[in-house]
Amino acid sequence: MKFVDEYRNPEAASLCAAALEHITTKPWTLMEICGGQTHAIVKFGIDELLPRQIELVHGPGCPVCVTPLEYIEKAIEIASRPDVIFCSFGDMLRVPGISKDLLTVKAEGGDVRIVYSPLDALKIAGENPGKEIVFFAVGFETTAPANAMAVFQAYRTGLRNFSLLVSHVLVPPAMEAILSSPSNRVQGFLAAGHVCAVMGYTEYFPIAERYHVPIVVTGFEPLDILQGVYMCVRQLEEGRWEVENQYSRAVRKEGNLPAQQIIHDVFGVVPRKWRGVGEIPRSGLGLQEKYAEFDAERRFGVADHTMEESTKCISGLILQGVKKPHECEAFAGECTPEHPLGATMVSSEGACAAYYRYRKIKL
Ligand code: SF4
């Protein structure tokens, strides 16, 4: 197939669903890792096409959603400074902090700018030598290479008015945390294709082996997801737990080696707190000591800030596949995209936003 609409072909999807029906004999719970996959599932009604025995639960792969509240507060504190130009992807601006969000800081006169790449922020740093330029570096392994490259370029060119507020997270430790939890329901994973395009998928072999779960690297179009579910269910029905690659048009087993190299040069593995989940050991990236001067937390003295999440929002349970968005009492009432209580309603990749956008009327 060549064009995106071919991956959305209804006849092919029906055939795939029928094949899945044919091989399914027991109930199975699968988790799609990525928020992009969650949106495709809810938007195209893929979960409604599956045999009744198969349940899809939504994973932690939405970078905005898992960024802890304390990092939103750190961002707000830094962005409120008159000497700072604070740069971020657009989604982060509406994530609520304790009393306001970054958009409010902007409305109050803070210089908060939406950029599409950390390299845009680097350009702003070059153009504004009298200002401190801070980029909010969130996300998984997918966004880490560009963020690492921005720091590397700043270091190489002597641009010292640039820094990163880093809240990077890693997928494999989160999968292990979900599988180790006493409330775990997940029996198989659809791994995030774009993360594997960078990192490859050899990291998943020990997880599949240790927890006896099939892991299928999966793309983002409806037929990708249906095929990923089929491959996962086939393994479960046959009593296998292997790592398979549905997304072979984009993912190689070893991943993108130059991208991995720049990540490892600039970042080291650190413990990281996940919103609603808590701290997971070795689940994040932080700047290596060599690049410590580009660490905005150190530069602006906000490294020690900690705070508790709201007890009303159950996004932590949603991100672990324990609950669905409509099981939250605040869903579509107290919490809407216009007045979000939690990050899974704000982010374009958040599960609550997906259910609100595509399922609100039915619910
Ligand atoms: S509906 Fe709102 S309050 Fe409930 S889990 Fe989702 S983001 Fe949190």
Side-chain angles (χ1 to χ4, degrees):
M1 289 193 281
K2 217 165 142 193
F3 302 108
V4 75
D5 54 350
E6 296 174 88
Y7 291 94
R8 298 178 182 182
N9 182 303
E11 286 80 35
S14 298
L15 283 175
C16 203
L20 198 47
E21 186 83 54
H22 187 68
I23 62 163
T24 307
T25 65
K26 298 183 197 128
W28 301 112
T29 303
L30 312 183
M31 172 179 275
E32 82 280 358
I33 293 286
C34 177
Q37 291 167 330
T38 304
H39 260 248
I41 288 164
V42 181
K43 178 178 177 183
F44 292 104
I46 294 169
D47 49 344
E48 295 171 340
L49 209 57
L50 302 178
R52 280 186 174 277
Q53 301 103 307
I54 299 174
E55 184 183 2
L56 296 180
V57 294
H58 316 308
C62 157
V64 176
C65 307
V66 299
T67 302
L69 183 58
E70 61 207 47
Y71 272 85
I72 306 300
E73 285 294 311
K74 288 178 191 190
I76 289 169
E77 185 172 330
I78 295 170
S80 301
R81 291 175 57 123
D83 56 334
V84 165
I85 300 175
F86 193 87
C87 300
S88 170
F89 296 132
D91 272 7
M92 296 306 295
L93 267 58
R94 291 194 55 244
V95 182
I98 298 283
S99 61
K100 57 180 160 183
D101 55 22
L102 282 167
L103 208 56
T104 310
V105 175
K106 188 175 171 63
E108 289 170 351
D111 196 343
V112 179
R113 302 187 190 182
I114 295 173
V115 294
Y116 296 98
S117 154
L119 298 173
D120 294 342
L122 205 61
K123 190 160 170 266
I124 294 170
E127 293 164 353
N128 294 273
K131 290 275 192 177
E132 284 286 339
I133 316 306
V134 183
F135 179 73
F136 201 176
V138 301
F140 289 85
E141 294 90 330
T142 335
T143 50
N147 292 338
M149 181 54 80
V151 171
F152 176 75
Q153 290 288 12
Y155 178 81
R156 195 180 61 82
T157 57
L159 205 56
R160 296 299 189 258
N161 63 331
F162 176 79
S163 57
L164 290 188
L165 178 60
V166 183
S167 184
H168 265 301
V169 280
L170 300 170
V171 168
M175 290 166 71
E176 292 213 63
I178 289 166
L179 291 168
S180 312
S181 163
S183 55
N184 174 50
R185 305 166 57 212
V186 178
Q187 295 164 295
F189 281 106
L190 307 185
H194 51 5
V195 168
C196 298
V198 175
M199 302 305 290
Y201 52 87
T202 54
E203 291 175 293
Y204 298 139
F205 289 123
I207 299 176
E209 198 48 47
R210 190 172 312 135
Y211 296 94
H212 294 187
V213 284
I215 301 173
V216 179
V217 179
T218 304
F220 302 88
E221 291 299 327
L223 286 183
D224 288 325
I225 294 168
L226 279 167
Q227 192 181 7
V229 172
Y230 178 88
M231 291 165 75
C232 208
V233 170
R234 191 175 57 188
Q235 286 200 47
L236 287 164
E237 290 281 345
E238 292 173 2
R240 293 185 289 122
W241 47 83
E242 294 165 18
V243 181
E244 294 181 327
N245 183 14
Q246 180 280 328
Y247 203 34
S248 56
R249 67 184 185 279
V251 173
R252 285 175 297 161
K253 185 177 172 187
E254 69 279 11
N256 181 332
L257 297 176
Q260 290 169 31
Q261 184 160 356
I262 187 81
I263 292 175
H264 294 140
D265 178 39
V266 172
F267 293 118
V269 175
V270 296
R272 181 69 72 198
K273 189 171 170 186
W274 294 57
R275 189 164 195 164
V277 179
E279 185 169 299
I280 304 176
R282 300 184 57 77
S283 69
L285 295 174
L287 287 163
Q288 299 273 19
E289 208 46 44
K290 178 181 172 187
Y291 298 101
E293 64 179 303
F294 298 98
D295 185 343
E297 288 190 71
R298 293 197 201 189
R299 191 174 292 195
F300 297 100
V302 296
D304 296 331
H305 291 20
T306 56
M307 57 202 59
E308 296 304 315
E309 310 282 346
S310 150
T311 48
K312 240 182 216 173
C313 175
I314 62 159
S315 58
L317 295 175
I318 293 169
L319 294 167
Q320 295 172 77
V322 178
K323 295 260 186 200
K324 294 269 176 79
H326 59 275
E327 293 174 291
C328 172
E329 280 184 13
F331 178 80
E334 228 179 315
C335 182
T336 64
E338 289 73 35
H339 300 287
L341 288 186
T344 41
M345 186 59 95
V346 175
S347 165
S348 59
E349 290 190 3
C352 296
Y355 273 64
Y356 186 88
R357 185 164 177 195
Y358 301 114
R359 297 272 163 89
K360 192 179 127 217
I361 295 167
K362 274 193 241 175
L363 287 168

